[in-house]
Amino acid sequence: MGTDRVARAFIGSFTTAGGHGVTAVAVDEVTGALAPLGSTDALANPSFLVPSVDGALLYAVGENAVGTAAAFDISEDVPRLLGEPVPVRGAGPTHLALAAGHLVTANYDSGSVTALPVRPDGSPGPVAAVLAHHGSGPHPDRQQEPHAHQVLADPSGRWVVSVDLGTDSVRVCALDPGIGALRLHAETVLRPGTGPRHLAFHPGGRHAYVLNELTPTLTVCRWNAEGGSLEALHEVPVVEDGVCTATYPSEVVVAHDGRFVWAANRGHDSIAVLALDATGEKARLVTTVDCGGHWPRDLTLDPSGRRLYAANERSGDVTWFDIDPATGIPARAGSIEAPAASCVVFR
């Protein structure tokens, strides 16, 4: 059956670890429950996904030594590859975003960001530009070179922001919508050794929250969209004092109303709940709750803002949680099997 009148979500996974590739799931809008519909392994290791603005297509990175980007037609229950995957001229792409008529990828292994034009049919075209990152950090194993982990458009649509774990920094770039050229505009250096992984913006558009992988902390930042500048303000923990488990945070999510931030913690296998003040400038760890599985690689808020979905990579499931609207604390509500799950996105 078609998907026009049914709520859908999509799960990305690592095919080389037994994942099904891209899986379409139906979403019960009353309970939040997921039900698998169909999957395709036409693209190896589609570790991160993003839907098109109109919801007709789904874009994916192929996280491989020769990195690729691809589009899927999602008009039916089984996603269908639209054309051939396109090389991104980067290794190990881990994230992608739509910006200024282009598909932009963050290439972890090669430490670069790639822009590919979106063709009239929605498929990605040949690479328009590759912007190489430069630098390193103090961690002896993880920061010997740049590692771009995430890329996204800022809320104003003026800038493309990339988060680099290897250089302890966030870069702000300008993307030419005509030719796809990427130009470095500014770089914000965070505390050495923190290993920033992902960033999320406050709905007010004036603050951003950088989740660090090498230290279990969140860096609260002030964002100036007019000038394209990011200013680090302070760090807060995402696990309680005294936690001895090695913890590697993975994803950060901000509530639609700007009252809470949630972070997924691998190793500790938890979801951190942080409360924000009215300005969005101060964050405070409230508690952590079990993620419902092992190694939560991704955390997603549903369109209603009432539920969180954790993609637990190593336990092979996607678990969903109902959020207490007063406290922001999530309560486990259900799960489905999803081998080597890496992300969940909603159409």
Side-chain angles (χ1 to χ4, degrees):
M1 64 180 176
T3 64
D4 290 344
R5 290 186 171 86
V6 181
R8 296 291 159 103
F10 300 88
I11 301 169
S13 62
F14 289 100
T15 56
T16 53
H20 298 155
V22 178
T23 300
V25 294
V27 184
D28 186 315
E29 294 182 281
V30 175
T31 66
L34 305 181
L37 296 169
S39 62
T40 176
D41 60 1
L43 178 69
N45 295 331
S47 64
F48 197 81
L49 313 172
V50 66
S52 62
V53 175
D54 63 5
L57 299 176
L58 186 72
Y59 296 100
V61 291
E63 189 176 334
N64 302 293
V66 178
T68 57
F72 291 86
D73 182 321
I74 51 174
S75 60
E76 301 296 333
D77 286 350
V78 178
R80 178 177 60 84
L81 192 63
L82 185 66
E84 291 297 315
V86 178
V88 300
R89 286 168 41 192
T94 54
H95 200 270
L96 79 167
L98 289 164
H102 289 75
L103 196 62
V104 189
T105 69
N107 311 314
Y108 181 86
D109 290 340
S110 56
S112 61
V113 172
T114 298
L116 307 96
V118 176
R119 292 167 162 159
D121 69 351
S123 64
V127 169
V130 178
L131 181 65
H133 288 186
H134 300 282
S136 60
H139 193 287
D141 301 320
R142 302 289 306 279
Q143 294 186 313
Q144 294 304 296
E145 58 190 0
H147 291 301
H149 209 300
Q150 185 201 33
V151 64
L152 70 165
D154 87 297
S156 75
R158 299 178 188 177
W159 309 101
V160 171
V161 177
S162 60
V163 182
D164 196 299
L165 185 149
T167 63
D168 289 320
S169 64
V170 179
R171 290 169 172 81
V172 180
C173 300
L175 174 61
D176 188 315
I179 60 174
L182 284 162
R183 175 180 58 83
L184 178 62
H185 169 74
E187 181 175 3
T188 299
V189 178
L190 304 182
R191 184 169 63 85
T194 52
R197 178 183 171 100
H198 277 199
L199 174 154
F201 286 99
H202 188 278
R206 295 182 180 179
H207 295 89
Y209 310 94
V210 181
L211 187 64
N212 302 306
E213 179 174 338
L214 301 184
T215 58
T217 61
L218 184 82
T219 303
V220 178
C221 303
R222 186 178 294 123
W223 170 247
N224 181 337
E226 184 175 347
S229 63
L230 186 73
E231 177 190 1
L233 300 175
H234 62 97
E235 276 183 64
V236 293
V238 292
V239 291
E240 294 90 347
D241 288 343
V243 168
C244 297
T245 304
T247 302
Y248 306 95
S250 59
E251 183 60 289
V252 56
V253 176
V254 184
H256 294 336
D257 61 8
R259 296 172 57 219
F260 303 104
V261 171
W262 299 279
N265 291 319
R266 295 168 300 175
H268 193 241
D269 289 342
S270 66
I271 299 172
V273 183
L274 297 101
L276 296 174
D277 71 352
T279 68
E281 196 156 292
K282 293 183 179 179
R284 173 180 58 86
L285 179 64
V286 175
T287 190
T288 59
V289 300
D290 191 284
C291 71
H294 180 34
W295 211 252
R297 184 181 176 89
D298 187 47
L299 190 64
T300 305
L301 192 64
D302 78 340
S304 74
R306 299 193 304 267
R307 297 182 187 89
L308 283 168
Y309 292 76
N312 295 315
E313 180 185 352
R314 294 185 181 176
S315 55
D317 63 83
V318 171
T319 299
W320 55 93
F321 302 79
D322 294 326
I323 300 168
D324 185 312
T327 65
I329 298 174
R332 187 183 186 279
S335 68
I336 60 166
E337 182 179 337
S342 56
C343 77
V344 183
V345 300
F346 286 80
R347 190 176 63 166

